[in-house]
């Protein structure tokens, strides 16, 4: 017979804790791991914004030690954050998209493209069109046939989701890229006409910004087709409100509250808008009469140069 008092009493709380750990940790891990991965991806994204900022500064002030060191540091930080996101199971569509940006920054175009393909494959049905279009935009400069296929796929995906305005935007991109590449110009005209029709039927036809971009695309395609007089009419329509639109574009970024825009991207955003304005002015200068409209052409070219861009056939 054993004396109860002689038995060693073990505390029960470790057993309870172990039971909770075995039951709850696997479930909580499924919640925690994706969140940690997203946190690392957010760091990677922010670091790539830093990288782009320092790269822009280096372009203006070559070999500036401060920005050279900042560029290398932010690039390394982005790479490390992406690696950590992968370890936490973060190989999502966003992961591949951000890693593609890293590869592009490092000049690894093949890996960048592969990651864009993975980003499209891993995306949700609701966002697949955007990822496919991202891939198409990347490929227009190197593989036109593949880019065209992906552009058409993105349009079909947007149509399936009944995203009419997004589809109009994609049609405009396709039409413009076809015109730049000088391919399928008749199809490009159909694309832009469909985009304008969608926009006109949306009830937003009086909003200047999209209308300027769509009409510019149509005018540029007509110019490529050799239909110069029709192209001129498109730009005459644009020029009725072009000055107001141009002023709005140049002031929009500067007037945005600091809480609504990353100050590191401000200069790049301003430059992108200025270049878009310069492209449209360049397109107009191409459809004008070189003799009768010589003064206007000269004035347009001077303004384009003031934006830091060189006018001519290569500006698209």
């Amino acid at each position: 017979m054993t004396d109860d008092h002689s038995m060693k009493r073990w505390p029960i709380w470790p057993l309870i804790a172990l039971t909770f750990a075995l039951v709850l940790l696997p479930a909580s891990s499924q919640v925690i791991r994706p969140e940690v991965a997203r946190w690392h991806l957010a760091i990677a994204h922010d670091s790539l914004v830093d990288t782009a900022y320092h790269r822009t500064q280096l372009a203006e002030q070559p070999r500036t030690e401060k920005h050279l060191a900042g560029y290398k540091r932010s690039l390394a930080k982005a790479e490390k954050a992406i690696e950590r996101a992968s370890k936490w199971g973060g190989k999502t569509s966003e992961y591949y998209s951000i890693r593609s940006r890293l590869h592009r920054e490092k000049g690894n175009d093949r890996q960048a493209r592969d990651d864009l393909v993975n980003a499209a494959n891993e995306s949700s049905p609701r966002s697949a069109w955007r990822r496919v279009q991202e891939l198409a935009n990347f490929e227009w400069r190197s593989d036109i046939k593949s880019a065209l296929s992906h552009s058409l796929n993105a349009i079909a995906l947007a149509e399936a989701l009944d995203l009419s305005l997004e589809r109009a935007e994609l049609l405009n991109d396709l039409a413009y890229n076809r015109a730049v590449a000088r391919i399928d110009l008749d199809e490009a005209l159909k694309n832009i006409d469909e985009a304008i029709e969608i926009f006109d039927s949306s009830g937003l036809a009086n909003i200047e910004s999209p209308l300027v971009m769509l009409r510019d695309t149509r005018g540029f395609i007509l110019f490529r087709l050799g239909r110069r007089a029709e192209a001129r009419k498109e730009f005459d329509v644009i020029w009725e409100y072009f000055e107001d639109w141009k002023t709005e574009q140049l002031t929009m970024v500067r007037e945005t509250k600091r809480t609504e825009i990353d100050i590191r991207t401000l200069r790049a955003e301003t430059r992108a808008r200025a270049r878009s304005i310069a492209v449209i002015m360049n397109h107009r200068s191409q459809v004008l009469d070189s003799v009768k409209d010589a003064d206007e052409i000269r004035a347009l070219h001077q303004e384009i140069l003031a934006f830091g861009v060189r006018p001519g056939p290569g500006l698209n």
Side-chain angles (χ1 to χ4, degrees):
M1 186 173 179
T2 306
D3 186 353
D4 289 342
H5 293 286
S6 67
M7 294 179 63
K8 188 172 183 180
R9 291 182 174 272
W10 295 93
I12 197 170
W13 66 264
L15 183 60
I16 296 173
L18 178 61
T19 303
F20 269 94
L22 291 173
V23 173
L24 295 180
L25 278 181
S28 63
S29 177
Q30 294 179 6
V31 176
I32 293 172
R33 291 184 69 84
E35 290 303 317
V36 174
R38 276 193 283 270
W39 180 68
H40 285 302
L41 287 177
I43 293 174
H45 168 77
D46 189 70
S47 298
L48 287 171
V49 171
D50 258 346
T51 302
Y53 167 74
H54 289 299
R55 174 168 35 78
T56 301
Q57 297 300 312
L58 282 169
E60 296 178 355
Q61 309 167 44
R63 310 304 297 178
T64 303
E65 290 302 319
K66 172 185 174 183
H67 293 297
L68 184 59
Y71 178 84
K72 292 179 179 179
R73 182 175 60 251
S74 55
L75 192 64
K77 186 176 179 181
E79 193 163 15
K80 185 175 292 186
I82 288 172
E83 183 182 342
R84 287 174 175 170
S86 174
K87 290 179 179 178
W88 282 91
K91 290 191 174 182
T92 60
S93 178
E94 183 185 10
Y95 165 83
Y96 286 115
S97 179
I98 292 175
R99 196 172 74 169
S100 175
R101 287 167 52 199
L102 175 67
H103 284 311
R104 275 175 275 178
E105 195 66 52
K106 296 170 70 175
N108 301 329
D109 284 355
R110 183 185 293 273
Q111 292 94 325
R113 182 199 174 279
D114 289 346
D115 274 342
L116 287 176
V117 171
N118 289 328
N121 291 338
E122 293 293 331
S123 62
S124 68
R126 192 73 186 170
S127 62
W129 68 271
R130 194 182 302 278
R131 295 301 190 196
V132 173
Q133 181 63 13
E134 188 179 358
L135 174 59
N137 289 339
F138 179 79
E139 290 190 321
W140 273 110
R141 60 183 178 176
S142 59
D143 189 342
I144 291 176
K145 184 177 179 180
S146 181
L148 180 60
S149 175
H150 289 307
S151 291
L152 292 170
N153 188 20
I155 291 168
L157 289 168
E159 184 176 17
L161 293 170
D162 199 26
L163 300 173
S164 58
L165 291 179
E166 289 84 352
R167 184 163 168 268
E169 179 184 339
L170 294 173
L171 284 165
N172 177 57
D173 288 346
L174 174 58
Y176 189 77
N177 282 318
R178 276 174 156 160
V180 170
R182 299 176 185 266
I183 61 168
D184 308 329
L185 294 177
D186 290 327
E187 285 298 315
L189 189 58
K190 291 178 183 178
N191 294 149
I192 194 58
D193 284 344
E194 186 177 357
I196 291 172
E197 183 181 350
I198 292 171
F199 185 71
D200 285 346
S201 64
S202 69
L204 302 174
N206 293 325
I207 297 180
E208 293 176 355
S209 186
L211 189 59
V212 167
M213 307 304 288
L214 295 173
R215 290 291 176 186
D216 169 66
T217 297
R218 192 172 196 277
F220 183 50
I221 293 168
L222 289 168
F223 169 70
R224 288 289 209 217
L225 283 166
R227 295 157 62 174
R228 200 185 192 105
E230 294 175 75
R232 168 72 183 264
K233 289 180 181 179
E234 289 292 337
F235 285 100
D236 284 345
V237 171
I238 293 173
W239 246 246
E240 291 176 8
Y241 43 82
F242 183 76
E243 285 301 319
D244 289 340
W245 175 80
K246 181 178 70 174
T247 301
E248 175 190 301
Q249 293 298 302
L250 292 174
T251 58
M252 189 181 296
V253 178
R254 290 196 296 268
E255 292 178 356
T256 303
K257 294 179 181 178
R258 285 175 179 262
T259 54
E260 297 174 353
I261 189 170
D262 192 322
I263 196 68
R264 294 168 297 177
T265 67
L266 183 60
R267 184 171 301 193
E269 178 69 20
T270 302
R271 281 183 171 183
R273 288 177 183 271
R275 191 182 189 283
S276 294
I277 294 168
V279 167
I280 295 173
M281 291 191 296
N282 189 63
H283 287 165
R284 177 170 174 81
S285 73
Q286 291 176 313
V287 304
L288 295 175
D289 188 291
S290 60
V291 177
K292 295 178 181 178
D293 303 311
D295 289 342
E296 183 180 354
I297 293 173
R298 190 178 303 110
L300 286 168
H301 285 181
Q302 287 175 350
E303 192 167 359
I304 292 169
L305 287 168
F307 282 126
V309 184
R310 184 177 295 278
L315 178 58
N316 294 307

